Amino acid sequence: ETLLKVENLYKSYNRNTLVLQNVQMALKQGEFVSIIGPSGAGKSTLLRCINRMIDPTSGSILFDGVEMTTLNKADLRSQRAKIGMVFQHYNLVSRLSVFENVLHGRFGYKSTLQGVLSLFTEEEKKLALEILDKLGMKEFAYKRCDQLSGGQKQRVGIARALVQQPKLLLCDEPIASLDPNSSKVIMDHLKDISETMGITVLVNLHQVDVALKYSDRIIGLNKGSIVYEGIPENLSNMA
Ligand code: ADP
Ligand code: ADP
C-alpha cells in the first residue's frame, strides 16, 4: 500500500549548505499530502529529488517498489513515466494547442513542428480528450495555450500529467500564481484525482489554510528538515 518511501534524504547543491536534512516520508496509494513551509525551506528540491530531476546527495527513495537513487537511464525513464509533474508556471508550449500540449505529456515533445497530431493514435487522442473533458477543458482543446487564463493553463498542466496515467502526481506550488477562485477549481480537481482515480497527490503549498482544507496529511518543512507531520486536525489545534 506504500507507494513512496523516502529515507535519510540529504541534498546539498554546494558543499557547505544542506538544503535537505535527514528527510523521512512515506506516502500511501491515493493519499493527498501537502508539504508546507516558508520560501527556501526545500519543498521544491524535495519534489525534484523524488522524480530524479536532480540527484540527492545521499539517502533512499523507494517508489513503486524500485530504488530511484541507483537506477540506470532506461529504468529511470520507465519509473519517471509513473510520476506526473505540475508546475507553478504551467510549463506549457504556448504556441501549441491545448490538445497538443496534453498529448505531448505522455509521449514527449516529439516534434517542434506544428501539425503534430498525426503522430498520435486514435486511442491516445481519445484518452487525452477524456481527461480534458474531466477537467472541463474539452471545449478549449484546439485553442492555443497562450489564449487561456492562468486557471485554464493549470488545468491543461494537470491534464498533461494525467495522460501519463501516473501513480504519483507531484505539484510544485500549483496555485501560487492563481486568484482564489481559480485556486479553488485547481485544488478541487487535485482532490478529486486522489479520491476517484486513486492517484497519490503530493502538493507543495505555502498557504496553510488551503493545506488544512484539502489534505489527508500535512508535512511541515523548515530549513530542510521535517518539523511537523500529521493530520490537519492536529495542526489546527496546534496553531
Ligand atoms: P522552496 O521550494 O521551499 O522555496 P527550494 O527547494 O526552492 O525551496 O530551495 C531551498 C534552498 O535551496 C534555497 O536556499 C535555494 O536558494 C536553494 N537552491 C534551490 N535550487 C538551487 C540550485 N539549483 N542551486 C543552488 N541552490 C539552490
Ligand atoms: P521556481 O521555484 O522559481 O519555479 P525552480 O528552480 O523550481 O524555480 O525551476 C526553475 C525553472 O525550471 C522553472 O521555470 C520551473 O518551472 C522549471 N522546472 C523545474 N522543474 C522542472 C521539471 N521537472 N521539468 C521541467 N521544468 C522544470
Side-chain angles (χ1 to χ4, degrees):
E1 218 203 1
T2 300
L3 179 68
L4 175 74
K5 191 164 190 185
V6 173
E7 288 186 298
N8 311 110
L9 194 74
Y10 288 79
K11 173 66 185 177
S12 61
Y13 288 102
N14 59 53
R15 236 180 283 161
N16 305 327
T17 38
L18 280 171
V19 170
L20 294 176
Q21 288 191 59
N22 200 23
V23 170
Q24 325 279 347
M25 180 172 83
L27 302 182
K28 287 184 217 144
Q29 197 192 323
E31 232 186 338
F32 190 111
V33 176
S34 298
I35 301 177
I36 60 173
S39 183
K43 305 182 294 296
S44 175
T45 299
L46 178 56
L47 294 198
R48 284 185 280 166
C49 282
I50 291 169
N51 83 344
R52 283 289 309 281
M53 280 288 299
I54 57 174
D55 293 330
T57 303
S58 65
S60 163
I61 298 169
L62 196 67
F63 171 65
D64 202 25
V66 178
E67 176 55 50
M68 295 289 286
T69 56
T70 52
L71 282 178
N72 65 37
K73 265 202 170 145
D75 292 337
L76 183 58
R77 193 171 306 134
S78 65
Q79 279 299 96
R80 266 198 194 134
K82 296 185 251 179
I83 304 178
M85 294 288 297
V86 174
F87 306 101
Q88 177 179 349
H89 301 293
Y90 327 117
N91 292 14
L92 303 175
V93 178
S94 51
R95 63 182 175 74
L96 295 182
S97 70
V98 165
F99 195 35
E100 288 166 321
N101 269 279
V102 170
L103 283 165
H104 284 308
R106 181 159 184 189
F107 308 105
Y109 285 87
K110 285 183 184 178
S111 166
T112 54
L113 301 171
Q114 277 185 314
V116 289
L117 289 182
S118 60
L119 292 169
F120 300 99
T121 68
E122 288 310 310
E123 211 167 313
E124 289 164 349
K125 292 179 196 173
K126 188 163 161 273
L127 174 69
L129 285 175
E130 277 170 11
I131 290 168
L132 281 171
D133 196 22
K134 188 177 163 64
L135 293 163
M137 287 300 292
K138 195 176 171 184
E139 61 180 300
F140 299 95
Y142 297 99
K143 278 219 163 185
R144 278 170 58 130
C145 282
D146 51 13
Q147 297 178 311
L148 304 177
S149 71
Q152 291 168 339
K153 284 180 185 165
Q154 194 57 293
R155 282 187 275 162
V156 178
I158 294 170
R160 179 184 55 188
L162 289 182
V163 288
Q164 279 176 241
Q165 301 185 294
K167 293 191 172 183
L168 174 65
L169 197 58
L170 300 177
C171 308
D172 197 353
E173 298 283 359
I175 58 169
S177 303
L178 300 178
D179 62 65
N181 288 335
S182 304
S183 295
K184 183 179 184 309
V185 170
I186 294 303
M187 292 305 295
D188 286 345
H189 278 303
L190 292 176
K191 187 72 178 173
D192 181 63
I193 286 162
S194 80
E195 283 180 348
T196 68
M197 302 174 83
I199 294 172
T200 306
V201 177
L202 182 61
V203 190
N204 283 352
L205 289 170
H206 59 260
Q207 306 92 325
V208 180
D209 57 328
V210 176
L212 287 172
K213 182 174 169 196
Y214 286 93
S215 310
D216 296 323
R217 205 146 53 81
I218 296 175
I219 293 172
L221 199 64
N222 194 15
K223 295 178 183 162
S225 296
I226 292 181
V227 292
Y228 173 82
E229 195 269 306
I231 58 172
E233 287 75 8
N234 291 350
L235 189 62
S236 318
N237 293 341
M238 239 170 55

